[in-house]
Coordinates of all heavy atoms in Angstrom, one line a residue:
L12 N -2.0 -3.6 -20.3 CA -1.2 -2.7 -19.6 C -1.9 -1.4 -19.2 O -2.0 -0.9 -18.1 CB 0.1 -2.4 -20.3 CG 1.1 -1.6 -19.5 CD1 1.6 -2.2 -18.2 CD2 2.3 -1.1 -20.4
A13 N -2.7 -0.9 -20.3 CA -3.5 0.3 -20.0 C -4.7 0.0 -19.0 O -5.0 0.9 -18.1 CB -4.1 0.8 -21.2
F14 N -5.2 -1.3 -19.1 CA -6.3 -1.6 -18.0 C -5.7 -1.7 -16.7 O -6.2 -1.2 -15.7 CB -6.9 -2.9 -18.5 CG -7.9 -3.4 -17.5 CD1 -9.2 -2.8 -17.3 CD2 -7.6 -4.5 -16.6 CE1 -10.1 -3.2 -16.5 CE2 -8.6 -4.9 -15.7 CZ -9.7 -4.3 -15.6
L15 N -4.6 -2.4 -16.5 CA -3.9 -2.5 -15.2 C -3.5 -1.1 -14.6 O -3.6 -0.9 -13.5 CB -2.7 -3.4 -15.2 CG -3.0 -4.9 -15.3 CD1 -1.8 -5.7 -15.4 CD2 -3.8 -5.3 -14.1
A16 N -3.1 -0.2 -15.5 CA -2.7 1.2 -15.0 C -3.9 1.9 -14.5 O -3.9 2.5 -13.4 CB -2.0 1.9 -16.1
L17 N -5.0 1.7 -15.2 CA -6.3 2.4 -14.7 C -6.7 1.8 -13.4 O -7.2 2.5 -12.5 CB -7.3 2.3 -15.8 CG -8.7 2.9 -15.5 CD1 -8.5 4.5 -15.4 CD2 -9.7 2.6 -16.6
Y18 N -6.7 0.4 -13.3 CA -7.2 -0.2 -12.1 C -6.3 0.1 -11.0 O -6.7 0.4 -9.8 CB -7.1 -1.8 -12.3 CG -7.4 -2.6 -11.1 CD1 -8.7 -2.7 -10.6 CD2 -6.4 -3.2 -10.4 CE1 -9.0 -3.3 -9.5 CE2 -6.7 -4.0 -9.3 CZ -7.9 -4.1 -8.8 OH -8.1 -4.7 -7.6
L19 N -5.0 0.1 -11.2 CA -4.0 0.5 -10.0 C -4.2 1.9 -9.6 O -4.0 2.2 -8.4 CB -2.6 0.1 -10.4 CG -2.3 -1.4 -10.6 CD1 -0.9 -1.6 -11.0 CD2 -2.5 -2.1 -9.2
D20 N -4.5 2.8 -10.5 CA -4.7 4.2 -10.2 C -6.0 4.3 -9.3 O -6.0 5.1 -8.4 CB -4.8 5.0 -11.5 CG -5.0 6.5 -11.2 OD1 -4.2 6.9 -10.3 OD2 -5.8 7.1 -11.9
D21 N -7.0 3.5 -9.7 CA -8.3 3.7 -8.9 C -8.0 3.1 -7.4 O -8.5 3.5 -6.5 CB -9.3 2.9 -9.5 CG -9.9 3.6 -10.7 OD1 -9.6 4.8 -10.9 OD2 -10.6 3.0 -11.6
L22 N -7.2 2.0 -7.4 CA -7.0 1.3 -6.2 C -6.1 2.3 -5.2 O -6.4 2.4 -4.0 CB -6.2 0.0 -6.4 CG -5.9 -0.8 -5.2 CD1 -7.3 -1.3 -4.7 CD2 -5.2 -2.0 -5.6
L23 N -5.2 3.0 -5.8 CA -4.4 3.9 -5.0 C -5.2 5.1 -4.5 O -5.1 5.5 -3.3 CB -3.3 4.5 -5.9 CG -2.3 5.5 -5.2 CD1 -1.6 4.9 -4.2 CD2 -1.4 6.0 -6.2
F24 N -6.2 5.6 -5.4 CA -7.2 6.6 -4.9 C -8.0 6.1 -3.7 O -8.3 6.9 -2.8 CB -7.9 7.1 -6.0 CG -8.6 8.4 -5.7 CD1 -8.0 9.6 -5.8 CD2 -10.0 8.4 -5.5 CE1 -8.6 10.8 -5.5 CE2 -10.7 9.6 -5.2 CZ -10.0 10.7 -5.2
A25 N -8.5 5.0 -3.9 CA -9.4 4.4 -2.7 C -8.6 4.1 -1.5 O -9.1 4.5 -0.4 CB -10.0 3.1 -3.3
A26 N -7.4 3.7 -1.6 CA -6.5 3.5 -0.4 C -6.2 4.8 0.3 O -6.1 4.9 1.5 CB -5.3 2.8 -0.8
A27 N -6.0 5.8 -0.5 CA -5.7 7.2 0.1 C -7.0 7.7 0.8 O -6.9 8.3 1.9 CB -5.4 8.2 -1.1
G28 N -8.2 7.4 0.2 CA -9.4 7.8 0.9 C -9.6 7.1 2.3 O -10.0 7.7 3.2
V29 N -9.2 5.8 2.3 CA -9.4 5.1 3.5 C -8.3 5.6 4.6 O -8.7 5.8 5.7 CB -9.1 3.6 3.2 CG1 -8.8 2.8 4.6 CG2 -10.2 3.0 2.4
C30 N -7.1 5.9 4.2 CA -6.2 6.4 5.1 C -6.6 7.8 5.6 O -6.5 8.1 6.8 CB -4.7 6.6 4.4 SG -4.0 5.0 4.1
F31 N -7.1 8.7 4.7 CA -7.6 9.9 5.2 C -8.8 9.8 6.1 O -8.9 10.6 7.1 CB -8.0 10.8 3.9 CG -8.5 12.1 4.1 CD1 -7.5 13.1 4.6 CD2 -9.6 12.6 3.9 CE1 -7.9 14.4 4.9 CE2 -10.0 13.9 4.1 CZ -9.2 14.8 4.6
T32 N -9.7 8.9 5.8 CA -10.8 8.7 6.8 C -10.5 8.3 8.2 O -10.9 8.7 9.2 CB -11.8 7.8 6.1 OG1 -12.2 8.3 4.9 CG2 -13.0 7.6 6.9
V33 N -9.5 7.2 8.1 CA -9.0 6.7 9.4 C -8.3 7.8 10.2 O -8.5 7.9 11.5 CB -8.2 5.5 9.2 CG1 -7.4 5.1 10.5 CG2 -9.0 4.3 8.7
S34 N -7.4 8.5 9.6 CA -6.8 9.6 10.3 C -7.7 10.7 10.8 O -7.5 11.1 12.0 CB -5.6 10.2 9.4 OG -6.2 10.9 8.3
A35 N -8.7 11.0 10.1 CA -9.7 12.0 10.5 C -10.5 11.3 11.8 O -10.7 12.1 12.8 CB -10.6 12.4 9.5
G36 N -10.7 10.1 11.7 CA -11.4 9.5 12.9 C -10.6 9.4 14.1 O -11.1 9.6 15.2
L37 N -9.4 9.2 14.0 CA -8.4 9.0 15.1 C -8.1 10.5 15.7 O -8.1 10.6 16.9 CB -7.1 8.4 14.7 CG -7.2 6.9 14.4 CD1 -5.8 6.4 14.0 CD2 -7.6 6.1 15.7
A38 N -8.1 11.5 14.8 CA -7.8 12.8 15.3 C -9.0 13.5 15.8 O -8.9 14.2 16.9 CB -7.1 13.6 14.2
F39 N -10.2 13.4 15.2 CA -11.3 14.3 15.6 C -12.5 13.5 15.9 O -13.6 14.1 16.3 CB -11.6 15.2 14.4 CG -10.4 16.1 14.1 CD1 -9.7 15.9 12.9 CD2 -10.0 17.1 15.0 CE1 -8.6 16.7 12.6 CE2 -8.9 17.9 14.6 CZ -8.2 17.7 13.5

Side-chain angles (χ1 to χ4, degrees):
L12 187 62
F14 176 75
L15 283 177
L17 183 64
Y18 173 74
L19 292 176
D20 185 41
D21 289 344
L22 188 63
L23 180 64
F24 192 77
V29 168
C30 291
F31 185 62
T32 302
V33 169
S34 66
L37 290 174
F39 302 109

